[in-house]
Amino acid sequence: MSSQPCLQDIGPVICVVGARPNFMKMAPLLRAFAAHQPRIPTLLVHTGQHYDKDMNDRLFEDLQLPKPDINLGVGSGSHTLQTAEVMRHFEPVVDEYKPSCVLVVGDVNSTLACSLVAAKKGIRVVHIEAGLRSYDRAMPEEINRVLTDQMADRLYTTERSALGNLVREGIAADRVSFVGNVMIDSLLHNRSMARPVAQTLAEAGLPTDLLANADGYAVVTLHRPSNVDQLATLQPLLKVLRDVSERLPLAFAMHPRTRANIERFHLMELVRSPRIALLPPQGYLEMLGLMAGAKLVLTDSGGLQEETTALGVPCLTLRENTERPITIEQGSNTLVGVDTKVIVQHVEEVLLSGGKSGRVPELWDGKAAERIADDLARWLLAPAQS
């Protein structure tokens, strides 16, 4: 008599994280896999692409992520070098642990690198957040997204339009499952634990009432190379942010890349103002508290477009395109590019009318990870049952 196939009889699901956005997506997945009956065996691999040790430890603590089983310690480098180093360090892990599949999230270099290793070794790839497209091949993340989806055997999407993108690229619809957004799982799970704004300011050595203002305050993040690597783009952006701060005080959580370029171009005086709270990179709970209390968010981050939509906070995205169109079509996001007049115009609209609040998209309900766990368990056992 043949025994019923069991999840414990197959290799672990190797779950890969590499950079900050991955952590928020992986935390609810690991909780759901551990709670699933039967439990889905996992091995958490941190590539070390996010190499700020203090921030790394803080994010793991905030998100209640278990310590990685393996840390590859790859660190920084060019896109090519980082991708190659992740592949070189990840292959021995795959050889040793013989996983049932490799699960990757998002669109960072680690996502592509680990997918390539798995695909070349005949190991199945699972991609969380599949099918998102900006159609801007100048973005390294777009290359990572497209190639990872081509290698993936099981693809989980955050919005229905993603399926059309995948089908147009020759990916069979039966490999795709619309499950919702695990980033929003994290947000809803942690919202009650968000840090108070005054506490965040105090920890940064700033006056706790700096953002206290009758009209509220705005949150700013900038990190994309297209916005911060060239003086011709960065300088006018900082000038318009200073202008906006005269109307609305700003909490500017400054990415290391952005700070380095501001200093390199001698632009720090543009953001030194009693109306601008210059903050170091923030932990997850600090950023959640800042966003939840904000009148407005100005950003070039993909994740913040989604989080502001879930929170109903108006978001002005300082980019010419987005891979998350649902945040515009249904949510609180508006693409404004880097035209300073357009940015000011939309800030004024928010101050006058309260701005765009939108609605929460379908299946952004905090249960995406549970749906993934249920589907993944069935899918992992399907070959043994066929």
Side-chain angles (χ1 to χ4, degrees), residues 7 96 109 114 126 151 163 180 185 259 275 278 321 386:
L7 286 171
E96 179 178 355
N109 289 338
C114 293
V126 175
M151 291 181 284
L163 175 61
D185 288 12
R259 179 178 288 276
R275 303 274 294 177
L278 290 181
N321 52 57
S386 59

Side-chain angles (χ1 to χ4, degrees), residues 212-290:
N213 177 64
D215 289 324
Y217 65 89
V219 172
V220 177
T221 75
L222 287 174
H223 75 283
R224 293 197 177 274
S226 58
N227 280 339
V228 305
D229 281 5
Q230 303 298 322
L231 175 63
T233 305
L234 182 58
Q235 185 172 37
L237 276 176
L238 296 180
K239 284 182 177 177
V240 77
L241 289 176
R242 188 179 180 94
D243 292 343
V244 169
S245 75
E246 297 303 317
R247 299 295 312 278
L248 206 59
L250 304 181
F252 190 169
M254 200 174 285
H255 190 278
R257 181 190 197 104
T258 307
R259 179 178 288 276
N261 283 327
I262 289 174
E263 292 174 349
R264 178 164 67 97
F265 297 134
H266 307 290
L267 300 176
M268 193 58 77
E269 286 305 313
L270 287 176
V271 290
R272 284 202 180 104
S273 163
R275 303 274 294 177
I276 301 176
L278 290 181
L279 299 167
Q282 294 295 293
Y284 180 72
L285 297 179
E286 285 80 9
M287 275 304 297
L288 185 52
L290 286 166

Side-chain angles (χ1 to χ4, degrees), residues 59-255:
L59 286 169
F60 270 75
E61 181 180 343
D62 284 354
L63 293 161
Q64 302 160 28
L65 262 171
K67 293 296 182 185
D69 297 295
I70 297 170
N71 192 323
L72 303 182
V74 168
S76 62
S78 70
H79 286 283
T80 302
L81 178 62
Q82 195 172 63
T83 301
E85 284 298 293
V86 171
M87 291 182 70
R88 188 169 70 87
H89 286 79
F90 185 61
E91 184 176 25
V93 174
V94 169
D95 289 340
E96 179 178 355
Y97 288 94
K98 298 178 174 50
S100 56
C101 66
V102 170
L103 183 147
V104 294
V105 295
D107 53 22
V108 301
N109 289 338
S110 297
T111 301
L112 174 61
C114 293
S115 298
L116 278 165
V117 171
K120 285 179 175 293
K121 299 185 82 67
I123 295 164
R124 294 181 294 177
V125 174
V126 175
H127 188 202
I128 310 294
E129 203 181 71
L132 297 181
R133 297 289 182 271
S134 68
Y135 293 99
D136 179 1
R137 293 295 179 93
M139 292 177 63
E141 296 90 346
E142 183 77 355
I143 303 298
N144 294 344
R145 285 189 284 265
V146 171
L147 295 179
T148 299
D149 284 340
Q150 285 296 322
M151 291 181 284
D153 300 276
R154 194 68 180 149
L155 302 95
Y156 294 109
T157 61
T158 62
E159 54 184 82
R160 289 195 182 275
S161 66
L163 175 61
N165 296 337
L166 295 168
V167 169
R168 281 191 293 274
E169 293 169 7
I171 294 168
D174 63 4
R175 289 161 54 192
V176 182
S177 179
F178 169 50
V179 291
N181 194 331
V182 291
M183 177 79 89
I184 306 310
D185 288 12
S186 269
L187 185 147
L188 296 177
H189 180 79
N190 290 288
R191 187 170 182 181
S192 64
M193 295 176 279
R195 296 274 191 274
V197 173
Q199 181 181 338
T200 297
L201 293 173
E203 289 178 357
L206 296 168
T208 57
D209 61 350
L210 194 153
L211 299 178
N213 177 64
D215 289 324
Y217 65 89
V219 172
V220 177
T221 75
L222 287 174
H223 75 283
R224 293 197 177 274
S226 58
N227 280 339
V228 305
D229 281 5
Q230 303 298 322
L231 175 63
T233 305
L234 182 58
Q235 185 172 37
L237 276 176
L238 296 180
K239 284 182 177 177
V240 77
L241 289 176
R242 188 179 180 94
D243 292 343
V244 169
S245 75
E246 297 303 317
R247 299 295 312 278
L248 206 59
L250 304 181
F252 190 169
M254 200 174 285
H255 190 278

